Amino acid sequence: MESIKVGLLGLGVVGGGTWKVLARNAQEISRRAGRSIEVTRVAVRDVTRARALLGPDVVVGADPHAVVCDPSIDIVVELIGGETLARELVLEAIANGKHVVTANKALLAKHGNEIFAAASARGVIVAFEAAVAGGIPIIKAMREGLTANRIQWVAGIINGTTNFILSEMRTHGLPFETVLAQAQKLGYAEADPTFDIEGVDAAHKLTLLASLAFGIPVQFDKAYIEGISKLAAVDIKMAERLGYRIKLLGITKRRPLGIELRVHPALVPSKSLLANVEGAMNAVLVNGDAVGQTLYYGKGAGEEPTASAVVADLVDVTRLLTSDPEHRVPHLAFQPDAMADTPILSIEEVITSYYLRLTVADQPGVLADLTRLLADSGISIGSMIQQPSEDQDMADLIFLTHQALERDVNIAITAIEALPFVRSHVTRLRMESLT
Ligand code: NDP
Ligand code: HSE
């Protein structure tokens, strides 16, 4: 049978890995796909470097539009990144009747509704396994393996760069900037690393997971996003002392009035599975009503782990080429005409437990006033520690609360910061028991 012809846009970390894995495992892949999968055309900026790598059989050029318009290409693999040109190219490929494979979570989180609608109308597939958690087949699991379930929540470590930074800071006490530079060198970080550090990349991925879990359109603009750049080393240490670790989590949860969609640093019990996901590893925990919790763990970034997911999509598309488009697995797991308009809840509607740290004047009545204020706001204290502050006559206090409504916590924090004996802002971190 004739080989499937692939047009590759981008030959960077993921594109280069895809080329390597396809070449090394060509025979195994064609045994699985039923046909061989061949990259015949590539677009990059640095054509000379690409030609040297790919050899004479591949057409290499600097114009990605030429690839998506090439009638001989069956599948376009978009690995350029970014939103503007990538969106243009993906829509052009779809309009030309080509299937698309992409690792571009930013593109799909922002323009997924438009792209999936265009693909459905044209009867082509847009596959995106590599866009969430790199090499972990989480999209496949949620779209196919868990279809029997009413999913209750998904929580994950879905950004390798920040997990790597938090792990190195905690275990080796290394400074933030040093570890970030290492992550960039290892190819984990996005072209703009603020996407990683500020939680934006995790929110892109979480947006897609929420759609797959609950059958809602992609709504990146409604996600609550808080990164790790303001996280203080003292809180990482205190969390450890209290039996927790701080992780940048993406959490999406079904609640009676809507869906939580939030990315932020969170304290998780140090014995929990997620707390022990270290380095650039990713893990996604999915809670379904029938199956209970299932955990998906693996490399969330890097050359070959991400290529593993890209190639899996290529095989999937190859196997489905002749299938009736009406009977394929829907892009977002639910049939397009069965998508729900369940609202995304604002962060103020979130209910969770909290870690609150503040510095106060060490004088009589302080604790009584603070606990009364928290009680008046409907916030119950789970535990509390007090220790001498670095400043004389001051004390550092840490409260761990029971579950509370974020709006009530905000009101309490504002009131606490206005008290005359309070000498710092209140550091607030959310805590997740993940049960
Ligand atoms: P890189 O920056 O390493 O590679 C980008 C590639 O695109 C380069 O080969 C570059 O060409 C090419 N390119 C950029 N602009 C153009 C253009 N205008 N015309 C032609 N070619 C162009 O990115 P990554 O491989 O790291 O990431 C690619 C995508 O995969 C992104 O969407 C990213 O978010 C996603 N992703 C990345 C992961 C990772 O671990 N790195 C993991 C999961 C997803 P040249 O080489 O000539 O500069
Ligand atoms: N920058 C991303 C990360 C790459 O660090 O996880 C994988 O999507």
Side-chain angles (χ1 to χ4, degrees):
M1 203 184 286
E2 216 189 311
S3 65
I4 289 294
K5 307 286 189 293
V6 173
L8 198 54
L9 309 178
L11 196 66
V13 175
V14 186
T18 300
W19 168 261
K20 273 194 217 164
V21 172
L22 275 174
R24 188 174 69 235
N25 296 341
Q27 222 187 346
E28 204 77 345
I29 289 165
S30 73
R31 282 175 64 212
R32 289 197 165 112
R35 297 163 78 166
S36 54
I37 297 175
E38 194 189 351
V39 175
T40 55
R41 193 159 183 166
V42 171
V44 282
R45 285 176 302 207
D46 184 348
V47 172
T48 315
R49 190 187 67 87
R51 281 212 178 102
L53 180 75
L54 301 172
D57 296 337
V58 181
V59 179
V60 180
D63 178 11
H65 293 276
V67 178
V68 300
C69 293
D70 181 337
S72 73
I73 298 292
D74 302 301
I75 308 174
V76 169
V77 180
E78 184 279 307
L79 299 172
I80 282 180
E83 285 172 48
T84 315
L85 177 61
R87 173 179 164 274
E88 229 175 85
L89 293 166
V90 165
L91 289 173
E92 205 175 326
I94 291 169
N96 290 337
K98 297 184 194 312
H99 301 283
V100 173
V101 172
T102 179
N104 194 336
K105 53 266 167 163
L107 172 72
L108 295 180
K110 293 261 194 84
H111 305 288
N113 298 326
E114 178 191 22
I115 288 170
F116 296 133
S120 298
R122 194 67 174 79
V124 296
I125 302 166
V126 174
F128 56 100
E129 185 63 70
V132 182
I136 305 173
I138 184 65
I139 308 283
K140 188 92 171 166
M142 289 185 65
R143 209 157 50 175
E144 298 179 43
L146 297 174
T147 40
N149 288 265
R150 185 173 158 84
I151 292 176
Q152 311 291 0
W153 53 260
V154 181
I157 294 171
I158 45 181
N159 181 267
T161 303
T162 43
N163 203 53
F164 182 69
I165 293 173
L166 291 175
S167 297
E168 294 291 299
M169 284 174 74
R170 187 181 65 78
T171 51
H172 304 300
L174 289 173
F176 184 93
E177 294 302 335
T178 310
V179 194
L180 171 61
Q182 281 177 28
Q184 286 176 294
K185 208 165 149 200
L186 290 163
Y188 306 144
E190 292 303 300
D192 176 357
T194 56
F195 270 36
D196 296 295
I197 294 155
E198 298 304 344
V200 177
D201 175 73
H204 287 149
K205 296 165 182 166
L206 186 70
T207 299
L208 294 169
L209 291 179
S211 293
L212 294 164
F214 307 121
I216 53 171
V218 289
Q219 295 167 76
F220 171 73
D221 54 334
K222 305 229 174 87
Y224 173 80
I225 311 175
E226 191 182 312
I228 63 165
S229 63
K230 296 196 182 76
L231 201 59
V234 60
D235 293 313
I236 298 178
K237 277 203 200 109
M238 281 313 302
E240 187 93 5
R241 234 183 92 183
L242 292 161
Y244 294 85
R245 284 190 190 155
I246 298 182
K247 295 286 176 188
L248 183 75
L249 291 188
I251 299 170
T252 184
K253 195 180 280 186
R254 193 195 288 273
R255 294 258 310 280
L257 296 179
I259 287 164
E260 293 181 8
L261 185 64
R262 51 189 170 104
V263 170
H264 52 73
L267 274 77
V268 289
S270 37
K271 290 209 171 98
S272 66
L273 290 167
L274 286 190
N276 290 286
V277 173
E278 298 285 22
M281 302 304 276
N282 279 198
V284 184
L285 198 52
V286 184
N287 193 337
D289 67 340
V291 71
Q293 289 190 11
T294 52
L295 177 71
Y296 308 84
Y297 169 84
K299 289 188 177 158
E303 198 181 22
E304 293 207 9
T306 313
S308 165
V310 171
V311 174
D313 275 347
L314 282 170
V315 171
D316 240 12
V317 174
T318 303
R319 286 169 172 161
L320 292 169
L321 274 183
T322 53
S323 66
D324 169 6
E326 295 288 309
H327 294 106
R328 289 184 188 138
V329 180
H331 290 112
L332 288 174
F334 291 73
Q335 298 297 337
D337 60 1
M339 297 298 270
D341 58 1
T342 321
I344 303 293
L345 297 173
S346 91
I347 190 68
E348 291 230 302
E349 304 297 328
V350 162
I351 296 174
T352 190
S353 310
Y354 293 85
Y355 161 106
L356 305 174
R357 178 175 60 81
L358 65 157
T359 303
V360 294
D362 197 0
Q363 62 191 42
V366 163
L367 273 183
D369 284 356
L370 284 170
T371 48
R372 193 173 317 111
L373 192 153
L374 287 169
D376 289 348
S377 307
I379 299 163
S380 166
I381 299 165
S383 58
M384 186 245 136
I385 53 175
Q386 173 174 343
Q387 59 180 24
S389 172
E390 280 174 3
D391 300 315
Q392 237 188 349
D393 302 327
M394 305 273 196
D396 291 332
L397 299 179
I398 291 164
F399 294 97
L400 303 185
T401 77
H402 289 305
Q403 291 225 321
L405 181 68
E406 177 119 351
R407 182 180 296 115
D408 293 340
V409 174
N410 288 342
I411 291 168
I413 288 176
T414 307
I416 289 172
E417 287 180 344
L419 292 170
F421 54 77
V422 173
R423 301 293 155 79
S424 71
H425 284 296
V426 176
T427 296
R428 169 250 310 275
L429 290 166
R430 298 170 191 89
M431 300 171 65
E432 300 296 331
S433 58
L434 305 169
T435 49

